[in-house]
């Protein structure tokens, strides 16, 4: 419905001319496979500059590749690094003001396109995680490709297709696995690198706990057991360390060039795109906690939360934000029961549990043995610091943390 004709040597050239004709503000990210000569990049930039694109609005990132190209050979342990650099490059070029992101899939080697599309798909999910509370802030995403109109005259139609992907989370079951596998024989200082990125394990562990708490209705555990004091530090480390700049430095450190062969000895255990989904989820969970932080009353070694606050969390967060209706129903029943008992001026009393984990789950984390009850103020607290198992000297919060780890 809004067709215009433009002449040029590239899809991005046509799109650029169209956007300029519409007085749109835009930035261009060029992902150049390492197998393509830098001259091709410079030629494309020259073409774009002719269309009056400001040079500062064009960014170029070299992307590692695997395979043989002409007389050169590139060795990678897998294509994860390729996807990760693409993911980080897109993320590095995106700010909160950008409303639309377009990926050009009109040309390139098939497997490279698939790797970039995979990175783009993870970027979509990461942006959903980042904007989970306010979904309207999430940019729109498009693929752009060419459809032949007249091959003889080299005429093509540029097609924009809005793309969406379901929100998904790939659980990290092994919290002790870092995304990087450093070659200690090649680089003896690798132990320092393992220490540098060790904070990732804490992020994975914390997000798993948050997911478990939301999915199972453990509202009191979410607010009072998870170690929120350390979250800002973990988020700051993520924005400092898991960046395009830092990963490119690592690639350079672990690269060997010899006899027309470039080998990258940095091995990837899993995608940084997956990890960034988790980082943004942690940021979302932290925003949720901060919203309720001033409703947690700390008295001596207890963290008290009113039943009405827990009911609000259950309705607003568990049910409406995350759509966990089963967990909502379970927790709502438990809270209503406590409220009824408390309004009678009594405390809830039950027989000791034969299976702590099963009954902890069955009662939305409000198991009698774990709970301190303040019926006068209609509030609950975990018995923090108290020992439940006299034989093993295990504290109640340690039991709860163990139950939170069961997240699948």
């Amino acid at each position: 419905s809004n067709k215009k004709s433009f002449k040029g040597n590239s899809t991005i050239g046509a799109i650029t001319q169209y956007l300029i004709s519409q007085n749109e503000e835009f930035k261009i990210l060029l992902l150049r496979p390492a197998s393509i000569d830098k001259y091709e990049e410079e030629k494309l930039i020259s073409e774009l500059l002719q269309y009056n694109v400001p040079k500062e609005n064009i960014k170029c990132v070299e992307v590692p590749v695997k395979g043989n190209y002409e007389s050169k050979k590139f060795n990678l342990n897998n294509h994860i690094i390729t996807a990760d650099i693409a993911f980080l490059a897109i993320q590095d070029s995106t700010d909160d003001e950008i409303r639309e992101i377009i990926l050009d899939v009109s040309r390139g080697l098939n497997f490279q396109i698939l790797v970039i599309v995979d990175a783009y798909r993870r970027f979509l999910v990461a942006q959903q995680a980042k904007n989970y509370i306010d979904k309207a802030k999430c940019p729109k995403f498009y693929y752009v490709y060419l459809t032949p109109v007249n091959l003889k005259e080299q005429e093509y139609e540029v097609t924009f297709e809005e793309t969406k992907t379901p929100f998904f989370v790939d659980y990290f079951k092994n919290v002790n696995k870092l995304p990087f596998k450093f070659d200690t024989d090649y680089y003896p200082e690798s132990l320092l690198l393992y220490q540098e990125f060790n904070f990732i394990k804490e992020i994975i562990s914390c997000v798993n706990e948050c997911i478990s708490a939301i999915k199972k209705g453990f509202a009191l555990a979410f607010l009072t057991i998870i170690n929120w004091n350390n979250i800002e530090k973990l988020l700051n480390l993520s924005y400092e360390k898991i960046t395009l700049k830092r990963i490119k430095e690592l690639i350079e450190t672990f690269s060997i060039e010899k006899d027309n062969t470039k080998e990258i000895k940095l091995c990837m255990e899993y995608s940084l795109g997956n990890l960034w989904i988790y980082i943004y989820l942690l940021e979302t969970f932290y925003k949720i906690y901060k919203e309720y932080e001033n409703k947690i009353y700390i008295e001596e070694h207890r963290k008290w939360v009113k039943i009405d606050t827990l009911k609000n969390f259950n309705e607003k967060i568990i049910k409406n934000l995350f759509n966990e209706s089963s967990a909502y129903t379970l927790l709502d029943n438990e809270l209503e029961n406590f409220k009824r008992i408390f309004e009678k001026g009594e405390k809830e009393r039950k027989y000791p549990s034969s299976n702590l984990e099963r009954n902890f789950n069955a009662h939305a984390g409000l198991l009698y043995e774990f709970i301190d009850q303040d019926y006068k103020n209609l509030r609950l607290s975990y018995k923090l610091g108290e020992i439940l198992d006299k034989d093993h000297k295990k504290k109640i919060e340690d039991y709860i943390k163990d139950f939170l780890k069961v997240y699948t």
Side-chain angles (χ1 to χ4, degrees), residues 51-81:
Y51 305 135
N52 297 318
V53 180
K55 193 168 186 178
E56 62 271 18
N57 286 8
I58 304 173
K59 180 179 179 179
C60 305
V61 175
E62 181 181 283
V63 179
V65 292
K66 182 178 183 179
N68 297 313
Y69 305 93
E70 298 178 352
S71 60
K72 296 179 182 178
K73 183 178 181 181
F74 299 86
N75 284 339
L76 300 174
N77 72 310
N78 52 41
H79 294 299
I80 295 178
I81 289 180

Side-chain angles (χ1 to χ4, degrees), residues 206-218:
C206 187
V207 176
N208 282 343
E209 290 172 357
C210 290
I211 292 172
S212 180
I214 294 293
K215 288 178 75 68
K216 296 184 177 181
F218 302 156

Side-chain angles (χ1 to χ4, degrees), residues 94-293:
T94 305
D95 57 42
D96 293 337
E97 303 303 315
I98 290 179
R99 305 311 324 142
E100 294 182 353
I101 300 173
I102 303 167
L103 178 67
D104 179 8
V105 293
S106 62
R107 63 171 63 186
L109 296 174
N110 288 339
F111 81 91
Q112 286 185 1
I113 289 291
L114 290 174
V115 171
I116 301 301
V117 166
D118 182 61
Y120 191 61
R121 185 175 67 100
R122 296 192 185 282
F123 182 71
L124 265 70
V125 180
Q127 287 294 306
Q128 289 180 57
K130 182 179 182 180
N131 298 290
Y132 198 90
I133 293 175
D134 189 353
K135 295 178 175 62
K137 289 184 177 179
C138 196
K140 289 186 177 180
F141 299 90
Y142 297 88
Y143 292 130
V144 62
Y145 54 89
L146 295 179
T147 304
V149 176
N150 186 334
L151 288 175
K152 187 176 180 181
E153 299 296 328
Q154 292 189 315
E155 292 180 1
Y156 296 86
E157 187 175 280
V158 176
T159 303
F160 292 86
E161 180 182 302
E162 185 174 358
T163 181
K164 296 179 180 179
T165 191
F167 182 70
F168 67 85
V169 177
D170 287 348
Y171 285 109
F172 287 95
K173 296 181 182 179
N174 187 347
V175 298
N176 292 314
K177 183 182 283 189
L178 293 179
F180 311 104
K181 187 176 181 181
F182 301 113
D183 190 328
T184 52
D185 292 331
Y186 169 72
Y187 191 72
E189 291 87 350
S190 290
L191 288 177
L192 295 174
L193 294 176
Y194 279 115
Q195 292 174 11
E196 177 184 350
F197 291 99
N198 201 53
F199 71 92
I200 290 172
K201 297 176 184 177
E202 294 181 68
I203 288 176
I204 293 171
S205 179
C206 187
V207 176
N208 282 343
E209 290 172 357
C210 290
I211 292 172
S212 180
I214 294 293
K215 288 178 75 68
K216 296 184 177 181
F218 302 156
L220 186 62
F222 184 96
L223 294 172
T224 64
I225 293 296
I226 292 168
N227 182 16
W228 296 108
N229 293 331
N230 199 33
I231 302 304
E232 281 193 46
K233 174 188 168 188
L234 295 177
L235 290 172
N236 289 336
L237 281 170
S238 300
Y239 282 100
E240 176 189 345
K241 300 292 185 183
I242 313 173
T243 61
L244 178 64
K245 180 176 180 290
R246 187 68 186 105
I247 305 310
K248 287 179 76 174
E249 289 172 353
L250 289 177
I251 289 174
E252 194 62 35
T253 299
F254 286 89
S255 292
I256 303 172
E257 291 193 56
K258 186 178 179 182
D259 299 331
N260 286 326
T261 298
K262 182 171 183 177
E263 181 175 5
I264 298 176
K265 299 181 74 67
L266 176 66
C267 297
M268 301 300 296
E269 294 286 344
Y270 56 80
S271 166
L272 294 178
N274 276 7
L275 181 57
W276 267 105
I277 294 170
Y278 253 50
I279 294 166
Y280 284 138
L281 268 177
L282 181 59
E283 202 167 326
T284 290
F285 288 134
Y286 188 52
K287 288 176 184 175
I288 292 169
Y289 167 75
K290 295 298 283 185
E291 185 180 339
Y292 287 87
E293 184 180 30

Side-chain angles (χ1 to χ4, degrees), residues 323-364:
N323 302 313
E324 294 291 345
S325 55
S326 297
Y328 163 79
T329 302
L330 188 65
L331 177 58
D332 190 57
N333 289 338
E334 292 296 315
L335 292 174
E336 281 296 323
N337 182 56
F338 273 109
K339 198 168 185 177
R340 280 195 303 271
I341 297 294
F342 284 3
E343 286 173 349
K344 293 178 182 178
E346 303 172 3
K347 286 189 177 183
E348 173 74 310
R349 290 179 175 82
K350 295 181 181 178
Y351 292 108
S353 303
S354 58
N355 185 319
L356 287 175
E357 182 180 334
R358 182 193 67 197
N359 289 320
F360 187 85
N361 290 326
H363 294 283

